[in-house]
Amino acid sequence: MKRNIVIAAVTAAALVGGGTATALATTGDDGGSARQAANTRLSADDDRNDQYDRDDDAAQAASADVTASEAIASALKHTSGTAVSAELDDEDDNAKVIWKVDVLSGDNTWHSVSVDPSNGRVLGSHTDDEDDTAQVRAALKGSSVTAEEAAKAAAGKGVVTSVDLDEDGKDKSWEAETRKSGAAEQDWKVDLKTGKVTADRSDAQDDEDDADDQD
């Protein structure tokens, strides 16, 4: 009787909250079966959410008429300096997608420039405070490949949704992310001197480690 009361209470709470609750038996083999079923459902939900995110990101990328390299070029016409990153992203987490380009000017001022992905028009800009200016300058010293050129090089792997300077560690490079319809994101490294594009093995290893942790 007490077990039935607990199950009824949990079910009622789920209905009130608008969510789904799983009642676990406290005795016997039923408890293990219920937990296994709950874990299976949660795993399936995660897979659906991941697929939704991939589809949503791919749809955003496909809807942009202006490429990453074109967005960078437009931002630099508006604000002179060195483009350090560009990302196709939601503006303030709403439905509108824009290119956000970070530009480091000659006086070491950081500018965040918003570019319309449909026509390349600059929507606005503002200054940012960054604490890695010296690292960025050091990483770019002696480089011959710009962010715009890195984006063009990575475009051969898919629709580029972001390009960013990796100024940490020994192997400094441009990092680019690409999307293809129905596929997961892919990460690439673009050599700062040659423009050669290679798969980002470090991210692939991180994904494998995360999968092992989940197991």
Side-chain angles (χ1 to χ4, degrees):
M1 178 65 72
K2 183 180 294 185
R3 177 171 169 272
N4 291 336
I5 293 174
V6 171
I7 293 175
V10 173
T11 303
L15 292 174
V16 171
T20 302
T22 301
L24 302 180
T26 57
T27 60
D29 293 338
D30 289 345
S33 299
R35 282 191 294 272
Q36 184 177 3
N39 290 335
T40 300
R41 182 166 61 255
L42 288 173
S43 178
D45 289 343
D46 289 340
D47 290 342
R48 283 194 295 270
N49 288 336
D50 289 343
Q51 183 62 47
Y52 174 81
D53 290 339
R54 287 196 295 269
D55 292 344
D56 185 51
D57 290 338
Q60 289 181 359
S63 66
D65 296 324
V66 175
T67 65
S69 60
E70 291 170 342
I72 292 171
S74 181
L76 290 177
K77 285 181 180 179
H78 179 273
T79 303
S80 61
T82 302
V84 178
S85 69
E87 181 181 13
L88 187 64
D89 200 6
D90 295 344
E91 184 180 33
D92 300 327
D93 296 326
N94 61 29
K96 186 176 182 180
V97 177
I98 62 170
W99 281 109
K100 294 180 180 178
V101 183
D102 290 333
V103 177
L104 177 59
S105 65
D107 61 356
N108 288 336
T109 300
W110 286 89
H111 304 266
S112 179
V113 184
S114 299
V115 179
D116 193 319
S118 64
N119 55 28
R121 183 171 61 89
V122 172
L123 301 174
S125 66
H126 63 271
T127 58
D128 278 338
D129 293 325
E130 301 287 349
D131 57 4
D132 60 347
T133 302
Q135 287 178 282
V136 169
R137 292 289 190 199
L140 291 174
K141 186 177 181 180
S143 67
S144 55
V145 177
T146 66
E148 182 179 352
E149 292 167 339
K152 287 180 180 179
K157 305 296 184 179
V159 179
V160 178
T161 56
S162 72
V163 59
D164 190 16
L165 177 66
D166 179 13
E167 74 275 14
D168 297 324
K170 182 177 67 174
D171 298 326
K172 298 174 177 58
S173 64
W174 291 107
E175 292 183 331
E177 182 179 289
T178 61
R179 298 275 182 177
K180 288 185 178 180
S181 180
E185 69 182 45
Q186 289 184 287
D187 298 302
W188 310 91
K189 285 185 175 294
V190 183
D191 192 277
L192 288 171
K193 293 184 178 180
T194 66
K196 182 180 179 180
V197 181
T198 57
D200 190 343
R201 301 298 182 188
S202 61
D203 280 1
Q205 184 61 48
D206 289 342
D207 291 341
E208 290 179 5
D209 293 340
D210 290 341
D212 291 339
D213 292 340
Q214 291 176 0
D215 293 341

